[in-house]
């Protein structure tokens, strides 16, 4: 059910007996049926949530979540299959309202992951086979329009050198408000930067109509880790960037002003190519990621039937088709986002002599990457004089 243009579940009081209770047992063992937990802070809503267990999962993996409520009553817009994530201070008493069709509960903080954040304002620690390493810390609040950027890195090959160079220069994802590098093992990129582990084989086959990397399973696992860690929820936008993509976050911020996120439950994502979304640069609003995460299984089932089996798509085509055709997430086109070899680029595109573009792809050597970055930066500086 969609939340837009409807009353919130806090207002659904017609014909429902309602009173509060003083009991404040914060056990996660037993969810409370026909109870709506009211707290002083409602953090966000997750539409299309399949059940209360999934709602509890989201609460468990967001350190800000102190309580949750799930609308299991069917046929009520703004309530049915909506997960309500709520903040709760340690000295705050929950106001339990009797309300039919709502299940509420508390997080089970024992359910932690191998990569954990002790609080959103403190240091991220990554478990390794030998010891724990301490990485850079990020704040727990950001201004509107902030960018959470991440890259997935192969443990061997050229990507490690590219990302180390970008980090040292403060370029690409490292010029975003917050960033994470994922891989399938802990790798030190600097003293204060280590990869977060995704337990997945990063090798995949090539095939399908476009002879592309069939990497859906890989990025399903990566997106699961992004949602599990929960840091994207502190930001307006999440940006997935390939290591060999020359990316200018400052330019993206300017472009995003022209793409306001409407007040709806499904958010927004951006399309960067007339052929459809291309994977080197993917941009999603916070709510679009929530919708993608909770609705992905439905997409898999839908396209499996449509294609009579595996559609043999890469992750970029799958997420684009899923968002657009099945989940109905609004999509904005912007042809200034990406210039790349596989999207009908203009002649001489690889000289990067265009200061209006957000990203250029691919540049797999450090020398070629640095040359493209410098060329586009120099043009921008000349233009601004």
């Amino acid at each position: 059910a969609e939340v837009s243009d409807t009353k919130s579940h806090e207002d659904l009081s017609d014909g429902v007996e309602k009173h509060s209770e003083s009991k404040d047992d914060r056990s996660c063992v037993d969810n409370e049926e026909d109870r709506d937990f009211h707290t002083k802070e409602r953090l966000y809503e997750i539409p299309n949530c399949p059940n209360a267990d999934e709602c509890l999962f989201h609460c468990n993996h967001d350190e800000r979540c102190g309580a949750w409520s799930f609308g299991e009553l069917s046929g009520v817009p703004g309530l049915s299959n909506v997960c309500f994530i709520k903040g709760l201070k340690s000295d705050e008493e929950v106001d339990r309202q009797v309300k039919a069709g709502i299940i509420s509960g508390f997080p089970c903080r024992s359910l932690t992951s191998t990569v954990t954040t002790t609080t959103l304002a403190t240091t991220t620690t990554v478990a390794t086979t030998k010891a724990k390493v301490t990485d850079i810390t990020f704040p727990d609040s950001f201004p509107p329009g902030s960018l959470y950027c991440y890259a997935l890195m192969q443990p061997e090959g050229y990507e490690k050198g590219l990302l180390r160079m970008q980090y040292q220069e403060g370029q690409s994802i490292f010029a975003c408000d917050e960033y994470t590098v994922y891989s399938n093992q802990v790798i030190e990129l600097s003293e204060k930067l280590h990869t977060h582990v995704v337990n997945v084989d990063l090798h995949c086959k090539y095939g399908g109509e476009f002879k592309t990397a069939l990497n859906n399973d890989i990025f399903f696992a990566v997106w699961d880790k992004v949602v599990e860690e929960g840091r994207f929820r502190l930001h307006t936008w999440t940006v997935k960037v390939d290591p060999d993509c020359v990316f200018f976050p400052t330019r993206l911020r300017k472009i995003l002003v022209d793409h306001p996120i409407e007040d709806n439950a499904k958010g927004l994502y951006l399309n960067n190519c007339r052929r459809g979304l291309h994977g080197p640069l993917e941009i999603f609003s916070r709510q679009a990621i929530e919708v993608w995460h909770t609705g992905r299984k439905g997409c898999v089932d839908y396209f499996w039937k449509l294609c009579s089996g595996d559609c043999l798509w890469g992750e970029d085509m799958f997420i684009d088709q899923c968002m657009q055709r099945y989940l109905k997430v609004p999509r904005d086109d912007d042809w200034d986002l990406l210039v790349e070899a596989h999207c009908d680029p203009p002649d001489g595109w690889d000289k990067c002599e265009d200061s209006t573009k957000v990203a250029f792809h691919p540049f797999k050597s450090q020398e070629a990457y640095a040359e493209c970055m410098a060329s586009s930066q120099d043009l921008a500086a000349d233009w601004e004089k």
Side-chain angles (χ1 to χ4, degrees), residues 115 124-126 128 132-136 153 167 179-183 185-197:
V115 179
T124 300
T125 59
V126 182
T128 71
K132 287 187 176 180
V133 292
T134 303
D135 275 6
I136 190 172
M153 186 190 80
Y167 178 75
Y179 50 80
T180 304
V181 179
Y182 293 100
S183 189
Q185 56 186 269
V186 176
I187 297 172
E188 181 177 295
L189 296 175
S190 81
E191 183 181 356
K192 291 292 186 179
L193 178 64
H194 297 77
T195 56
H196 291 208
V197 174

Side-chain angles (χ1 to χ4, degrees), residues 18-74:
K18 206 164 67 165
H19 67 272
S20 62
E21 299 176 352
S22 60
K23 175 186 173 185
D24 197 20
D25 175 17
R26 299 189 182 183
S27 169
C28 78
V29 177
D30 296 315
N31 300 334
E32 299 188 26
E33 297 186 359
D34 297 326
R35 292 292 186 277
D36 185 13
F37 286 4
H38 283 211
T39 67
K40 295 179 181 178
E41 182 181 18
R42 284 180 57 180
L43 296 173
Y44 53 89
E45 302 171 4
I46 304 173
N48 303 316
C49 187
N51 50 50
D53 288 340
E54 181 76 9
C55 190
L56 170 61
F57 171 86
H58 286 286
C59 184
N60 283 337
H61 293 92
D62 187 338
E63 290 289 340
R64 298 172 299 164
C65 181
W68 58 269
S69 296
F70 172 75
E72 68 169 355
L73 187 66
S74 62

